[in-house]
Every structure is written in structure tokens, then in C-alpha cells.
Amino acid sequence: MSGQSTSQTNLAPQRSHLSVSSQAQTTLINDRDPRDGFDYQDQGPSQTPSKKRGGEPVSGAASQLSTDPNNAVNFQQLVEKLDADLYERETKGTRARYPDRDHVSIRGPALSTVSGTPSRLSSSSSTSRRHDRRRRNDKLISTTPSRAADRTKSRRVALNWRKERVDGIQRIILTANVSPVDPRLEPHNSVTWQHSNFEDIKLLDLETLVTRLTDFGLQDSEVGLTKRLLKRVRLVSERAFVGGSFLTPTAIRYDMLNDSRYGADKCCAFLNFPFFAVRKAQKKAAFVKGDSRHPTRTLLQSRYRLNETVDRDSSQCIRMLDARSLRSCIKAPEAETTHLSRRKVDELIYVPQMWALVMGRDHMVTAGPISDQALQGSTLDLRDHAAIDAAQRCTLVRISFMNRGVPEEITYPLEQCASWFGLLNKHQQIRSALRQGKEETAPKDYPLQIGEHILSDRTWASVQRSTDGEILKLWMETPKPPRVTVNNADNLSGSEAGQASEGEDESLAEARRTSKVTSAGFSTMDRVPIVKAFLTWRVVDDFGEIDDRSVDEQPKHFLNAIYETLPATCAQEVSVSGAQVATSGRNSRSGRNPRPKISVTGKTRRDIGDLGWERSQGKPEISIEQKVYWASSRLLAYFVPAEHDKASAPIQVFWGILYELLESHVSYLRRLLDTLDEINDWAETLHLGVHFQRPIKERGHRTEYQDANSESAILQASMVDALGAIYNMLVEAIHVARLGNNSNNDQELTLGKRVAHYGREACRLLETARNQLITEATVTASGESVSPVVTPEAILIMTLERLACGIFGTGSVDVINILEECLEQLALRVEKHSSRRLLQKLNAFEEEVDIVNEVLSQQIKVLSAFRDCLDPTKFKRPTTARKMRFEFEKQGIERILIHIREQQRHCTELRERAKVLAVQNVQLVETLADDNSRAIFVFTFITVLFLPLSFVAGFFGMNLAGIADTKSKVKHFWYIALPLTGGILVLCAVFVAWGESIWFAVADLPRYCKRLVHGREKKKRK
């Protein structure tokens, strides 16, 4: 920077590819300070003039021109392809950088762990690169303090998460590995989280932690970007106070763009979040003003940074409480609150800060005066495991795709994609995020494939079984974007537009080449597994409550509801044993169905079997009746379990209609069979969509699987309506069969249209059910801050939610409740012992409430800035994953903001009540002063009345002559009384004139002695 020529000042300033949030109050364009760590050597070609021998300066190419008349033509050729605004464009995003492994890993599923597929990046090469980076950083680490490693815990948090309810509290369970660096781990398979417990942290310690993350896959470019960000934080936010330094609460994000096809954009964000902590008062270390260390500040010190508040801290309002009142404001384990059994409270309210860094997609660093266990709290449970299983089964699904010529990827837990509908749900989410504006594309334009094999519902289970690694990598084909032309290009010339389009084609071709994997071993599922019939699926209301009826009762209720609306009655019911029981039919509901009712003889499946429609071994040909019988049996099995009551009226009507249709040999059976096959296809689609194979046990290297339904197998109303349409279709078909030869063509055509209508209605309803079941596969509940997979931002939001509740050990404390208890104590004192000194207590309480409100405002500021940092609209090139995750992150931050704003409203109420108590105290003091003044007046009047009498009686009552061995006379009394009285009068006058100065001088004497001692200690250190 210092070597730049002064002649470059006439150039237009270049915009940096590094951006900060509005909280920084300055931008990199207008604030080019040499202390912020940026390299501003980007002013374009040097314009330093060169000199001729004659001393006249000429510049660049002009120095090579002579008086040749062809020079004008040569100059025109030189500048022919240059634009007028060439020097006004950004250059930093176009500079070449060392390629990282990150970008190589997202070029499609080339690293697929399907059996027999080699990996493009071997573990040995990645391990050697990590060791090389570690050796390059050894010198830097050796020059920094090593205390960071002693108080740091590093984890690799798995991307899967689940919820559990413990003691009525919903907890999010995360799994982490605490083992050292493992070369078998691929990048982006976990989130690396480092937490350091520092009482007096420094920004240099944070840089050391970032450097050590290179052993966990952090790229050198991300390390450099993060260090520049920390330098910016030091410049913008670091402030000095009497006990060291502190950071003003803020949230800043830096981006680094990379236009190369072999590079990837980088991003990092920093925030420091203040929170409340109640802990035992501790003796603070003596740091000089402006020291690089950031000690924990008390509640008063967080406001008064230039004055010591040690003496005032000892009289915080929390000291007015007893142990019982303080314990009522704390939610912590019993072992951590046993010391509160004593009567005196030694705790104080502190305002520490937690620093957090989010780097890239899967690295995170947190630091602050809080333990690792306390940071988790009661809503987050991080369970550590000491080792990593190298032969673990597939747990993640990674979908790679091209977004406008840039390769991207999104990872999901296998539990959410195990079923076909679950995979389609994630497919639809990605497709919706990729759509630009009002562009409409069909899902078929985004096929999912692994290698050359396009996935389907019948091969998805086999693909999962064939994967022997942790991640199953899929490729999603995206429609080819339109070529950019000169007409629709944005600030691009024709040559640049052509180059951009050509670059996109090459990126897409390379990504498709790297996704070539073998599809050997993928088998197609021939038999549709019916784990549960439709009517036995879970019934869940709109509030998530599950109906707890038995499997036998649930189908019965739905079948009876359908049966009551049918225009048919069961003339006689047939029991399972074959005995016929006459029935009078059911009571029809008037006005429910205007169609005429028909009577159907109840039958069972055994009765139809007696007709011989079941295929025999000796008959190679299959009749149309047999096909209708099998199609109907399969259709009923999809909806009703086989063990359902066979003597129920709806089942008897179904088999009765089918018995009559097959016995009459109607010509309409062919079209009926086509309709039944189409309905069966849709029913098969639903069963295949919710089906997955659950691993139950392992025998050596072989895993056994069991057919199961996913959690999204929820009974939809359209599925019940589809069964009703099937029943109505069969009733209309029996009308056609009974007409026979007595019907005219028009009547038969009308009834045939009704049959076709109900058939189409059943297919349409099942298609609607398919779409609804895909939506049900979302899994993640609304309002959760965790996206489908664990991300550094999600972990950070959960920790911020924990800190917003206050810290007491590993539990939580409500500072607002503490202030309310203090206000109750003050109210009792005002009522019983009002005084002017109590007014000072009330003023101190109002001051503490104001400070608490300020800290809450700082929390809101940091959270709002952090939300803006995550907002994809604030990115120049947001990724699809960032767009999809922001909705979850926004919900989590909004939930914290609602809690903090509620606490701010409580602070306002406390401040108003404190003002009312102050007014009441003043009024009571004035009333008491009036009463005292009357009593003093009476006492003074009586004293003045008897003073002359007392003096006369005392003076003349002195009998000095009667005292033995004394020669004193009356004059001796005046010799003593007058000087003594005069001295007392002079002393009173001195106190009246200079009493206040004398009082403050005496009170400041201990502080003067402390400053004197500290000054001598500083001299000794120097």
C-alpha cells in the first residue's frame, strides 16, 4: 500500500469484494485505513510516467510511438477492443487464487461411495495437504500464546439431529465426535465446532483458534479472510476502559468472490453477543487501561468504562435479596445452588460477551467466559462419542446440481430422504429455490440420478442398500440456462457475454463428466410392499395430535362412513362360516344421497373363489374375469388390511358387487379392468412413496433390512374420498350389469359415463394424495431454527437463545425476576422504613434497570445485524443452500427477539414502579419531617423557656466555699466556661463552612492509598 504512486489518485476507486454490514458504520470503499488489514493494491495498471533522455515524461505505450504516420493506425488497433469504462469495473473478484478442495468436491457425485466406485480424491493426498498447511502455520502458532489449546474443546458435530422430550422440555439432540483429526473424514460431512472458555479473552487468541482449524479442513483462503475480518473488528469495535478493553456489540460479515471455474466463493461472519450472568463476586485481575485482554465486566462497569465501580458493585441491588429469593429466580441443578443456603448473598450480576466466528459452510469458533456444558443449556444436548466408525452405514444424502453454471450441493439426513416421497420433497425444495422470477419448469426437467442411472421409486431402496459409505451422492440435472446475448446482458460486452455462456457450458460438461459412476447392483422392486393398508395409517389433526384408536377400529369407522353414503344396501350378510343372516338394511339419511338405492347380496372372498376365477395350474390363459378379480382384490388390499372383519357390511357389499359382475359376464368388464388397473397404479405409487427399508441388524459385513413406512405416512382425506369413489364406481357398474338386454344404448352409455367419471375421480384424488404426502415429508416442524441438517449458523442461533435466558452455572437465571424481587424488597422498606437514604437505593435500582435495558437493546442490535448477515438478498451471489436455510434461521432469531423485547417491556414497567416508589418515599419522608418538626419546636420552646431559670439556679446554687480543701472562686468558672464555649462555636463554624470538603477528603483517603500502591507496582514492573 505504501508503494503506490501518487499519480493513481485520479483513478476511479475500485470496489472491494469484501463487504461488511451496516453496523461497521464505514465501508471499504471510503475508509481505506492501513490498519484494517486489507490489500488495496488493486488500482489497475501503473500510470507512473517514464522519462525520455531529454527529461520530458511520457507514459506507457506512448513512449514507444514515433513520428511514423502509421502510428495512429497502430494505436487504434491497440484500443479497438477496449471499453470506455474499463477502469471503473471491479477487479478483485476476477483475480486468480489457489484452488481449494471445497470446489472440487461439489462437481457432482464423483466421490460417490457406491460399491466398486473409486474416489477421485484419496485420503492420503488430503491428509498430506493438511500436514503441509500445518507445517506452514507452525511458525505463526509458535509465536502466539498456547493457553488457547488448554481451554479449547474441538468437536465434529454430525449433520443429523433429532428431538426428545425430557422432563417436559423439548430438547434438540446433536451427536459429536471428539476424536483427533481423522483422514477418513471427507469435507462437509460434519460441522467443526471449537469452543474456548476464557475469562479474559484476546482477539489474538481467536486468531490462534482459527489457525488451528486448518487441521480440521479449514482452507488457507478462509483463514486469511477471517484474519482480515478480525483486524476490521479490532479497528471498528474495540474500545478501552479502565480495566482493559472491550468490544462494542456488533455483527459483521465478509465475502470473498471468485469468478474462476476452479474456485469457490468464501464467506465468514463475526459477532459478539452480550449476556447476563450471575456468579460469585471474584477479585479482578489488575489490567491497565487499553490492555489487549477483555475481562468480564460487571453490570455497572458495562456502562461506566472510564471509572472504577468496585465499591459500587458491592452494593448491587441483588445483595438485598436473601438466598431463598435468589434461588426462586434460578433454574439450575441442585448441586449448583447448595451454596445459596447461607443467609448472605455474595453473587453479582455480570455482563460478559461471547464471541463467535462462522467460517465457510462447516466451521465455527466460539469463545467467552462460559463453560462448554453451560453453553448447551436445557434445550440443546450435545452428546460426544470418542471414536468414529469407519464402516458406518449411509446416513447422509448429498444432492449436487448446477445453478447458473456454478456447481452447488445440499446435504440432507437419510432419515428425511429414506422414502421416495421424502426424496421428492427435498427435490421440490431445491427446484423451488432454483426458479428465477416467474419462470415455470416441470419437475421432470430436474431428474435425479446417480451416474447414468436415473432414480425411481422402485430403485431408490436398492440404491441406498448399495451405498457402503457415510454419504450417498446424487446428481440433479437442471435445465440449461439461456445463453446470454448482447441484448439481455447486464453491463457486459458481446465478447464477455459469449465467454460467460461458454464458461457455463464447460462447467456443466465437466460436472456431468465427474458424475459418471457405475449403477451395477441397483435392482428394481417388482413386488409392491404393503406394510400397512391405507386405512390403518396414522390419523393426525392440524395441531399434530395423533388419534390413538386401535388398528381394528380405525378402518371400521371409515368404511361405515363410506357405506352410509352409498346408494346400495346389503340385502343379506354372510358370516365367515358361510351362514346367511337376514338383515333389514341400514337406515338411510334423508337427503344424503338422491340416487335410488339398490340391494346387493352380501358375499365374501371365499364365495367368489367358488366360482373358479382363481387361476389354476393347468390353464395357461387368463380370462378377463380372472383379471378383474385379481385387480379388485389387490385394490382392496391397498386400502383395507387383510385381517379386517370379513363379515362387515362394507366388505360384503364390495365382494357382493364383484360376485354379481363376474357371474353375469358383462361386456363392460374390459373397460372396468382398465380403470381398476389405473387406480391400482396410483395406489402402488402411494405405497412405494412412503416405503423404505430399515436396517435391523448386522451379521458380519451384511446388513438385514425390514420393510417399513416413513413418518410421513399420514392418512389424507383424499385417500378416504378415493375409496368412496371406488365404491360408487362399482355401484354404477352393477347398474350396467343389471340392465342387460333390457336397456337401450343411451341409458347404458349414461351409466358407463358415470362409471368412468368415478374412476377418473378416484385417480384424481389419489394423485392429490400423492402431492399431499410429498408435502407431509417435510419432517421439520414449523418454528424450528434448525434446517434439515445441522449448520454452524443453526448451532450459533441455539447458543444465542441459550445465552438470552441468562447464565448461572450450567443453568439459567432470569435477571428480570431478580430485579422484581429487589423492587419488592424496596417497596417493603418504603412502607415501613422510608428515609432519604432509601431514596438513594431507589435511584441506584433505576440505574441498574436502565443498564439492563441497554444490554437488551445491544442484544437486539446484534441479532438484527446477524439476521442481515444471513439474509440471501444481502449476498452478491447467494447459494441455493443459503436461500433454503435462511427461513429456518430467521424463525430462530425472531423467537429470540420476541423473548428479549418482552424483557424490555418488563424493564419499562419496573422503571415506572421504581419512580412511583421514589415519589411515595419522598412524600413519607416529608410527612415524617413535618411531625418531627412539631415535636422539635415544642421541645425547643420548653428548653428555651427553662434555660435562664436553669442558668440562674445553677449559678447561684454553686457552693464552692463549702468544698473542703479548695480555694476556687466564681471567677474560675468564667475562666473555663468562656474559652470552652468559644472553641465549640469556632469548630461548628468551620464545619458549616468547609464540612463537605472535609467529608469527601476523608472518604477518598482509601482510594488515594490504593492508587498510590498501584503506582508503585507499575513502577516495579517497568
Side-chain angles (χ1 to χ4, degrees), residues 57-111:
V58 295
S59 60
S63 61
Q64 303 176 4
L65 300 178
S66 62
T67 58
D68 189 352
N70 295 327
N71 284 341
V73 177
N74 295 336
F75 181 77
Q76 291 179 359
Q77 293 177 354
L78 290 174
V79 299
E80 181 179 2
K81 296 184 178 181
L82 295 182
D83 295 337
D85 58 345
L86 178 65
Y87 291 103
E88 298 179 3
R89 297 182 184 173
E90 299 180 3
T91 58
K92 282 192 173 182
T94 61
R95 294 177 179 177
R97 293 180 177 86
Y98 286 107
D100 296 327
R101 285 186 300 110
D102 300 15
H103 190 68
V104 177
S105 63
I106 62 176
R107 290 286 187 175
L111 296 176

Side-chain angles (χ1 to χ4, degrees), residues 136-144 207-208 211 223 227:
R136 288 196 302 268
N137 293 321
D138 276 344
K139 292 183 179 180
L140 176 61
I141 297 176
S142 61
T143 59
T144 57
E207 292 184 8
T208 304
T211 305
V223 174
K227 289 184 177 180

Side-chain angles (χ1 to χ4, degrees), residues 766-834:
L766 291 178
E767 182 181 3
T768 303
R770 180 204 60 180
N771 300 334
Q772 294 168 346
L773 290 173
I774 293 176
T775 305
E776 293 283 357
T778 303
V779 177
T780 305
S782 59
E784 293 289 348
S785 60
V786 187
S787 57
V789 292
V790 176
T791 60
E793 295 83 2
I795 296 177
L796 182 55
I797 291 173
M798 287 187 286
T799 56
L800 293 179
E801 185 176 7
R802 160 76 180 111
L803 295 177
C805 298
I807 301 298
F808 182 87
T810 58
S812 60
V813 59
D814 194 339
V815 178
I816 302 300
N817 283 348
I818 292 178
L819 295 177
E820 289 179 352
E821 292 289 340
C822 294
L823 189 60
E824 292 297 330
Q825 294 288 338
L826 291 173
L828 291 175
R829 295 187 184 184
V830 168
E831 183 180 356
K832 297 182 180 179
H833 308 287
S834 58

